[in-house]
Amino acid sequence: MADRRLQVFHAVAKHGSFTRAAEHLFMTQPAVTFQIKQLEEHFNTRLLERGHGHISLTPTGELVLAYAERILGLSDELESRVSELTDELSGAINIGTSTTIAAYWLPRLLESFKRRFPRVVPRVVVGNSQLTEDRVAARDLDIGLIEIVSDQPAVERFSAAQDDLLVICAPTHPLAQATLLKAEDLIEHPFITRDPGNAIRELAEQFFEAAGVPMTEINICAELGSLATVKHLAAEGMGYAIASRAAILRDLREGKLVGIPLEPRLFTPLEVIIPRDKFRSRLITTFAEHACAELTEMAATVAERASEQGLG
């Protein structure tokens, strides 16, 4: 309901980039540029200084941004209040999620939510857990689904469930016959790790350090942001990796990978986070509650299937 020009200006000012604002708003960059030009013509003054790939606010732009934040906040609250009175959830919800949750937990979660509330439009941004946490703390996202326990004061967290982390490797790998693996068992073998900021990378590093094995002794052969690529390299015998149990059940069933529990057991948390001080609409509250319930139920199903495959 708020002026679209203000929405676009707010996004550009917040992201410091026409390109990033366009991605956030699901618009083209020329459309963003046009909206900013229209707003500057309306006020008959320049609001943004552009130069050398950097955007900054003029003094007038600072004033307009302050009012834009208040206007957009009130607009969101109005939409939510009216929706609550009509007893029908609708509108967009901005969701951030880690790559593993996006691939293996989110599809069913969104499907069940959309069946209950068909007029809600989920807008999903996928990144690693640290990036998602930071964007929720900055109020760029309404809700986050992550695999780390957040300690940011600007974030409120709800623990939904947890999933086992397992060593994965090809059936022909020297580690494949083990029933349990300690940190010292892994030192001599090439390790396929994840990208910085990834929750499983952080948990793996904590696992080694807790066992007194410094990361300098670990033979890292690749750092990858894609779980699919991690699994492919592991299946091809390039090394071992550590992955969430939910992410590998199909690969285990098809015989592409072997999964071995760690000793001591290592778990990845499944957390739902929301901005602590942001106005909380019924839509955000309802989605958070739904996400917690669905993740809990799905984690129980994964554990049951894993038990059937001898990984309980």
Side-chain angles (χ1 to χ4, degrees):
M1 186 172 177
D3 191 313
R4 185 60 169 170
R5 296 170 299 177
L6 284 180
Q7 292 175 331
V8 173
F9 172 73
H10 180 266
V12 171
K14 197 166 185 66
H15 292 282
S17 163
F18 281 77
T19 301
R20 287 196 293 273
E23 292 171 353
H24 178 75
L25 295 169
F26 303 95
M27 296 172 64
T28 63
Q29 186 170 331
V32 168
T33 302
F34 176 77
Q35 292 288 342
I36 296 299
K37 182 174 181 292
Q38 289 285 303
L39 189 63
E40 289 181 327
E41 288 179 355
H42 174 80
F43 288 116
N44 194 31
T45 187
R46 184 176 291 278
L47 303 176
L48 298 168
E49 294 291 355
R50 309 156 176 85
H52 305 293
H54 179 71
I55 292 174
S56 60
L57 293 169
T58 65
T60 306
E62 294 278 4
L63 177 67
V64 172
L65 177 61
Y67 275 92
E69 288 180 339
R70 292 163 61 184
I71 292 167
L72 294 174
L74 285 171
S75 178
D76 288 343
E77 186 171 343
L78 173 60
E79 294 281 355
S80 298
R81 292 303 188 202
V82 171
S83 176
E84 289 170 11
L85 288 174
T86 60
D87 201 33
E88 182 179 9
L89 284 183
S90 62
I93 181 168
N94 298 309
I95 305 163
T97 173
S98 70
T99 52
T100 299
I101 292 178
Y104 300 98
W105 304 88
L106 188 66
R108 175 178 154 183
L109 192 161
L110 287 183
E111 177 193 357
S112 56
F113 191 79
K114 283 288 291 182
R115 289 187 186 279
R116 289 178 59 194
F117 306 106
R119 295 191 61 194
V120 172
V121 180
R123 293 175 176 168
V124 178
V125 178
V126 179
N128 63 44
S129 289
Q130 187 61 62
L131 177 62
T132 300
E133 181 189 33
D134 291 343
R135 293 194 66 185
V136 171
R139 295 171 174 77
D140 291 335
L141 296 169
D142 297 318
I143 193 162
L145 308 174
I146 60 175
E147 299 167 89
I148 55 177
V149 176
S150 175
D151 58 1
Q152 290 219 34
V155 164
E156 185 173 353
R157 54 175 282 263
F158 306 91
S159 296
Q162 64 179 18
D163 190 25
D164 266 304
L165 290 179
L166 305 174
V167 170
I168 60 170
C169 60
T172 56
H173 194 279
L175 296 172
Q177 302 305 314
T179 55
L180 288 172
L181 288 168
K182 297 181 179 180
E184 52 265 31
D185 300 326
L186 303 171
I187 295 175
E188 63 184 81
H189 301 282
F191 179 37
I192 305 164
T193 190
R194 301 299 300 275
D195 55 315
N198 181 278
I200 292 178
R201 174 184 172 128
E202 294 182 7
L203 289 167
E205 291 179 353
Q206 291 170 16
F207 173 79
F208 287 117
E209 290 167 2
V213 178
M215 290 306 297
T216 53
E217 292 186 17
I218 302 301
N219 179 14
I220 295 175
C221 65
E223 293 185 1
L224 303 171
S226 164
L227 177 57
T229 306
V230 169
K231 293 198 296 180
H232 178 77
L233 290 186
E236 291 299 318
M238 301 296 175
Y240 74 91
I242 295 176
S244 169
R245 181 171 57 180
I248 63 167
L249 285 179
R250 177 178 295 180
D251 302 278
L252 298 179
R253 187 168 58 249
E254 295 175 353
K256 296 178 180 178
L257 290 169
V258 173
I260 307 104
L262 291 158
E263 178 61 41
R265 296 283 288 272
L266 189 63
F267 300 93
T268 179
L270 302 175
E271 302 272 310
V272 178
I273 59 172
I274 54 179
R276 182 174 295 278
D277 299 324
K278 185 178 180 179
F279 162 73
R280 191 170 307 162
S281 68
R282 188 163 65 96
L283 173 55
I284 294 173
T285 300
T286 302
F287 188 88
E289 292 172 350
H290 177 84
C292 286
E294 282 291 307
L295 288 172
T296 299
E297 183 179 338
M298 284 188 282
T301 301
V302 167
E304 182 180 342
R305 291 176 181 171
S307 180
E308 293 170 357
Q309 295 179 221
L311 290 170

